[in-house]
Structure formats: C-alpha cells, structure tokens
Amino acid sequence: MPNDKTPGPQVKDPEQYEALRRKGYSKEKSARIANSEGAEKRGGNAEKYEDRTKQDLYEQAKKVGIAGRSNMTKAQLIHALRNN
C-alpha cells in the first residue's frame, strides 16, 4: 500500500505539492498546481487575466481541469481560474 504522504510519480514538483498539502489544499488541487506549467516561476510578473484572450484563458482552464469551460464567457473563465 502506498504511503499517503508520497504524492506519486505523476507529481512534477513533490516539494510544492507537500507545501500545499500542509497549507490545507486538497490532494487534487495540490497536484494540479504542482504540475502546472510555469508553477516554479513566482514573483507576480504574470499577465493579468483581463489582458489575456478568451482562448488563452480557455487553454489555461483546460490545463487545470476546470469543468464546463467550453460554455463559459471570458468573465466566467477568469472567475473559475481565480477560484479553482
């Protein structure tokens, strides 16, 4: 039986995963964040969601697994990305 504290080989950044779990994030959300492209880049230099195209937001929502994204407006995609 696998150790419950070990995220497994599918998690790209186990240290970040464990830090998120300690903060109270769910296993699913911790893995999604630890596996997201560019997760290692920090510092607030990311482009604002409002400045991105709807297609860019859709692709980001797809990467993080937001359900119902194909029927969402740009504002709904922004809300879902911020609150997921």
Side-chain angles (χ1 to χ4, degrees), residues 43-62:
N45 294 327
E47 185 180 2
K48 293 181 181 180
Y49 284 140
E50 289 79 9
D51 296 338
R52 298 181 187 182
T53 66
K54 182 179 176 186
Q55 185 61 37
D56 289 340
L57 296 170
Y58 174 85
E59 292 300 324
Q60 184 63 32
K62 185 176 178 181

Side-chain angles (χ1 to χ4, degrees), residues 29-42:
K29 187 167 185 177
S30 297
R32 190 169 52 238
I33 293 170
N35 287 339
S36 65
E37 186 176 313
E40 69 281 353
K41 296 177 185 175
R42 303 282 181 226

Side-chain angles (χ1 to χ4, degrees), residues 23-34:
K23 286 183 178 182
Y25 285 77
S26 70
K27 289 179 182 180
E28 180 182 319
K29 187 167 185 177
S30 297
R32 190 169 52 238
I33 293 170

